[in-house]
Amino acid sequence: MHRLTHSLATAGCSSTRAVRFAASSWRSTAATAVSPRPLLATASRRRNIHVRVPLPYKIEDGMGDFLPPAALKVIAEDYQQGLLDRLNEQIKGTKFENLSVAQIVISTAPHESQTLAFNYASLALNNSFFLHHLKPPTARAPNHESALTGKLLSHERTHRLAGAITAQLGSLADLKTYVAAAAQGMNSGGGAGGFVWLVTDALGRLGVVATYGAGTLLVAERRQSLLAWDGTELGGVYQPATPPPPPSGRTQHAAPAQARALSTSARASGSVRPTNVWSDPPLAPSDAGAVAGSDGTYGASEAPAALDALGKTLYPLFCVSVHEHAWMAAGYGVWGMETYLERFWTCLNWVAVREAYARYAVRK
Amino acid sequence: MAALCPARRRLFSALLRQPCRSFTSATESSEKILQSQDDWTAFQLDRAERTTLVDVFSKFGSAQTRDNTWQPHHPLHRPTAPRDLTLSALLAAGAHLGHHSSLLNPNFVPYAYGTRAGITIIDLERTLPHLRRAASLVRAVVSRDGTVVFVGTRTDLRPTVLKAAQRIGSQGYHVGEKWLPGTLTNKVHFFGPEVAQSERVVPDLVVFLNPIPNLHAIRECAIEHVPTIGIVDSNVDPRIVMYPIPANDESTRTAELIAGVLSIAGREGAELAAERAQKRARSARSMAKHRTLEVD
């Protein structure tokens, strides 16, 4: 043992390095034969910070007519990395340090003191989601809408998403109108902007949801879909005095304090009214305006149990970033949101949207 | 905020407070307790949907995921490999913290760096080569079809020794509760005469994560000529085990680190043995083929 330490001391280098390099020369050939790996630790041993997820396309090439390379760089690099850098600063040394961005959104949502971390994380998440659902158009395909009615997926028998859009929203043009209306409403306030999402739930119902500011779909209470939380500014909240008996076997609980609103639809007559999911008879056409594109009746064939799943968990299909920095950087000017939205549709990756819809809408 | 009129200020502070106000209070959530089987099914479906939503979003945001960041369960479930072992890792685990200087065993002095805050600081630059030597020993023993027993008879060491033994495989064993006195010296009584004679009851190597409460086991190993590895603290004579590892024996992190290093070395030894057996089988097959060809 003493001979050992003596040989280390005579190595001549600093003590730490001497131990490490000496050890590497002692490595038996048997050990190296097992599996060659880098000398220093695997990723989980090193402290990590948030860095951007690599995109499936090159930022230098831009996004067709929608976003020139400089604008894509502003959104995908400057803005995104800025959000992650500020998030890193906020969570350094806290218990949120080793969490993924989605987990940070969930963990910081209930705490007012963590507002900054929540905002940065939520914006980074939404912006990343927006960027990952873009695909540059090609000469042959000026937009990717042909994927909606193109080759069927392995487990599909019909074009489910295309059918759902036609049945529930009217047509693709109607969907674009709803998104444009939501974006216009968001932008007319001259505020911090937000994101407009196409969402679906387990039943396959589609809806257009706007999340203002740093709202997120992950935490229902922080969705920030409505400017005022209790909905008094939107025409009142439906509150049944005694809800009808729930489907067989399920225990009856007190009515929820607020009914769930699935979307901010442009089709609703007058103000947006929340859906009544507790109704026993089918809804009259005038009552169901809140669900985008619904013709009013849920149909006699729709089981009452399925209504409980309506809009409970909203799965995102795609989103649009409604921020001034996006269309200003693209050169559309300060009032260029309409052009920005028009050109967005040429770059939306409908293949990914279709696959996502097929994956989530399972409770048919 | 101060420049706003009182009404505006109230509105802003109300808006700021809104998101947190609408979280379900304790009374609301206590009303929604699960009562029937269908309630439970609906709850499970809900939970599955929420998990799917979180999984969807987990792919976006940043490249940092739960998998590539350090999590508190990693020291036990993803231990350091011998080749990745560093002084910083030992330091972070608190392996250098010995007992009070008044309890310093005179035979431990070569492994002591000095005294600080009344306790003996263990020289980690001597600990590291001892730990690597022990790792090489475990690897060699397991690669030559030897059995290794991990002994850690404290509540916090129980999962450590279990996982260490599992990592080695069929040649790894653990004692997490109590080393029954006479396990080796009274093996005929414990295992029966047939088993004691025909099977390999005496291990080829024993690793002690807490040697002091297991001195009886160490004595048995010495009587049965079983080589021992052990974590020796500053109040302990290092000569009680054959291959001492001078480190803090009271720290769970240190024990997890050391047991992890040794068990990964043992797993590598098992892989080496498997490779060697494969090679031997292949060469035997090719020799048999040659012989039949020659005969022909």
Side-chain angles (χ1 to χ4, degrees):
Chain A
M1 205 281 296
H2 293 286
R3 245 179 289 136
L4 198 81
T5 50
H6 177 71
S7 66
L8 281 177
T10 53
C13 8
S14 81
S15 49
T16 321
R17 238 179 268 130
V19 175
R20 245 189 254 156
F21 286 141
S24 66
S25 67
W26 296 336
R27 252 192 254 138
S28 62
T29 47
T32 47
V34 176
S35 52
R37 259 183 297 160
L39 174 67
L40 275 180
T42 55
S44 79
R45 229 80 60 201
R46 248 181 269 137
R47 199 164 293 285
N48 245 346
I49 57 167
H50 292 287
V51 290
R52 286 177 285 128
V53 189
L55 289 166
Y57 45 81
K58 276 201 233 155
I59 296 176
E60 308 88 60
D61 297 340
M63 191 56 64
D65 278 340
F66 174 44
L67 296 170
L72 190 55
K73 179 179 179 293
V74 162
I75 303 174
E77 270 185 31
D78 303 341
Y79 185 50
Q80 183 73 13
Q81 193 56 52
L83 288 169
L84 292 176
D85 289 341
R86 280 155 184 79
L87 176 62
N88 284 328
E89 255 176 78
Q90 288 303 314
I91 59 170
K92 189 159 65 165
T94 65
K95 60 182 176 180
F96 310 107
E97 208 166 14
N98 281 330
L99 301 176
S100 64
V101 176
Q103 275 301 327
I104 292 176
V105 168
I106 296 170
S107 318
T108 54
H111 308 292
E112 258 181 57
S113 58
Q114 305 292 336
T115 303
L116 277 178
F118 171 80
N119 287 353
Y120 292 139
S122 182
L123 287 170
L125 196 62
N126 297 347
N127 199 41
S128 175
F129 195 88
F130 162 64
L131 291 166
H132 271 81
H133 285 75
L134 297 177
K135 191 175 169 188
T138 55
R140 271 180 296 125
N143 63 41
H144 305 289
E145 281 157 27
S146 54
L148 269 176
T149 46
K151 199 169 139 228
L152 284 171
L153 299 175
S154 53
H155 50 273
E156 271 187 333
R157 266 175 286 138
T158 56
H159 293 105
R160 288 185 67 195
L161 180 60
I165 291 177
T166 319
Q168 296 176 37
L169 306 175
S171 69
L172 193 58
D174 286 338
L175 165 62
K176 295 182 186 178
T177 318
Y178 294 140
V179 171
Q184 216 166 33
M186 187 184 282
N187 189 42
S188 61
F195 291 84
V196 178
W197 305 76
L198 178 68
V199 298
T200 185
D201 62 2
L203 286 176
R205 292 272 169 180
L206 292 172
V208 173
V209 173
T211 53
Y212 288 79
T216 178
L217 293 180
L218 265 176
V219 181
E221 288 89 348
R222 292 304 291 268
R223 210 173 280 161
Q224 288 163 214
S225 289
L226 310 173
L227 278 179
W229 185 248
D230 55 4
T232 44
E233 279 145 36
L234 296 174
V237 174
Y238 183 90
Q239 196 149 359
T242 48
S248 59
R250 293 283 306 279
T251 319
Q252 183 161 5
H253 295 294
Q258 296 158 28
R260 289 188 296 269
L262 188 58
S263 75
T264 53
S265 160
R267 248 205 206 185
S269 51
S271 53
V272 174
R273 284 154 71 195
T275 326
N276 175 11
V277 298
W278 295 109
S279 70
D280 215 14
L283 290 174
S286 57
D287 282 347
V291 178
S294 165
D295 63 353
T297 56
Y298 287 112
S301 57
E302 188 117 21
L307 288 179
D308 283 329
L310 183 67
K312 227 176 189 173
T313 310
L314 299 181
Y315 299 113
L317 293 175
F318 70 82
C319 75
V320 196
S321 164
V322 181
H323 292 96
E324 238 175 45
H325 67 249
W327 55 80
M328 287 282 282
Y332 300 127
V334 70
W335 292 113
M337 192 206 69
E338 285 182 30
T339 331
Y340 169 83
L341 268 185
E342 268 171 56
R343 297 204 185 164
F344 162 74
W345 299 109
T346 62
C347 295
L348 178 58
N349 184 3
W350 279 107
V351 178
V353 178
R354 235 182 97 187
E355 284 172 0
Y357 181 76
R359 227 182 303 135
Y360 306 143
V362 289
R363 278 214 239 178
K364 266 271 146 101
Chain B
M1 273 274 274
L4 296 165
C5 71
R8 272 266 163 91
R9 217 182 301 146
R10 261 180 269 128
L11 171 67
F12 268 117
S13 49
L15 282 173
L16 280 172
R17 264 185 271 121
Q18 295 251 348
C20 308
R21 199 187 61 184
S22 40
F23 282 103
T24 50
S25 62
T27 45
E28 266 183 70
S29 47
S30 65
E31 285 167 15
K32 301 221 162 128
I33 50 172
L34 306 172
Q35 280 161 9
S36 72
Q37 186 64 34
D38 287 330
D39 277 350
W40 172 241
T41 314
F43 172 76
Q44 282 185 306
L45 286 170
D46 257 357
R47 190 167 58 179
E49 282 182 17
R50 271 201 301 274
T51 312
T52 312
L53 182 64
V54 176
D55 287 341
V56 164
F57 272 114
S58 294
K59 295 191 215 82
F60 304 100
S62 85
Q64 184 176 317
T65 63
R66 186 180 162 79
D67 205 51
N68 63 19
T69 43
W70 183 87
Q71 302 296 332
H73 65 273
H74 280 180
L76 179 61
H77 295 273
R78 289 197 206 175
T80 328
R83 77 195 67 207
D84 298 333
L85 191 60
T86 57
L87 275 182
S88 333
L90 280 167
L91 203 69
H96 59 295
L97 304 166
H99 284 271
H100 196 272
S101 312
S102 60
L103 302 170
L104 177 63
N105 192 299
N107 294 297
F108 191 86
V109 169
Y111 302 118
Y113 183 81
T115 310
R116 175 84 179 198
I119 61 164
T120 307
I121 303 298
I122 300 169
D123 191 354
L124 292 180
E125 291 185 341
R126 290 167 198 249
T127 304
L128 191 52
H130 281 83
L131 184 47
R132 286 180 170 164
R133 177 176 67 165
S136 300
L137 177 65
V138 175
R139 188 183 298 118
V141 165
V142 177
S143 77
R144 283 160 181 75
D145 197 35
T147 51
V148 183
V149 177
F150 287 88
V151 178
T153 58
R154 259 196 344 243
T155 28
D156 52 321
L157 298 178
R158 227 160 276 158
T160 314
V161 292
L162 170 66
K163 284 222 70 85
Q166 283 174 346
R167 219 168 271 128
I168 289 183
S170 60
Q171 288 159 248
Y173 299 85
H174 69 281
V175 174
E177 306 265 349
K178 183 187 161 166
W179 177 288
L180 296 171
T183 305
L184 300 183
T185 50
N186 200 7
K187 53 174 108 50
V188 173
H189 168 82
F190 273 96
F191 302 105
E194 298 86 31
V195 172
Q197 275 196 333
S198 56
E199 294 196 26
R200 295 196 297 175
V201 160
V202 178
D204 296 298
L205 184 63
V206 181
V207 178
F208 290 96
L209 299 183
N210 58 338
I212 300 305
N214 297 303
L215 282 175
H216 59 289
I218 292 173
R219 199 182 314 116
E220 282 190 50
C221 292
I223 290 167
E224 293 292 318
H225 312 295
V226 176
T228 46
I229 297 172
I231 301 178
V232 293
D233 211 333
S234 63
N235 60 340
V236 171
D237 187 342
R239 298 171 300 176
I240 58 173
V241 291
M242 265 190 79
Y243 299 92
I245 300 170
N248 183 1
D249 63 4
E250 291 190 330
S251 158
T252 317
R253 268 179 84 172
T254 310
E256 283 179 349
L257 180 68
I258 291 174
V261 165
L262 298 180
S263 60
I264 289 190
R267 186 172 63 190
E268 287 171 2
E271 286 169 11
L272 284 170
E275 268 179 43
R276 231 184 292 127
Q278 260 188 355
K279 229 185 268 180
R280 243 183 277 121
R282 246 182 279 131
S283 65
R285 261 180 279 142
S286 63
M287 289 227 328
K289 224 191 276 177
H290 275 289
R291 245 181 261 121
T292 51
L293 285 170
E294 279 173 22
V295 165
D296 294 340

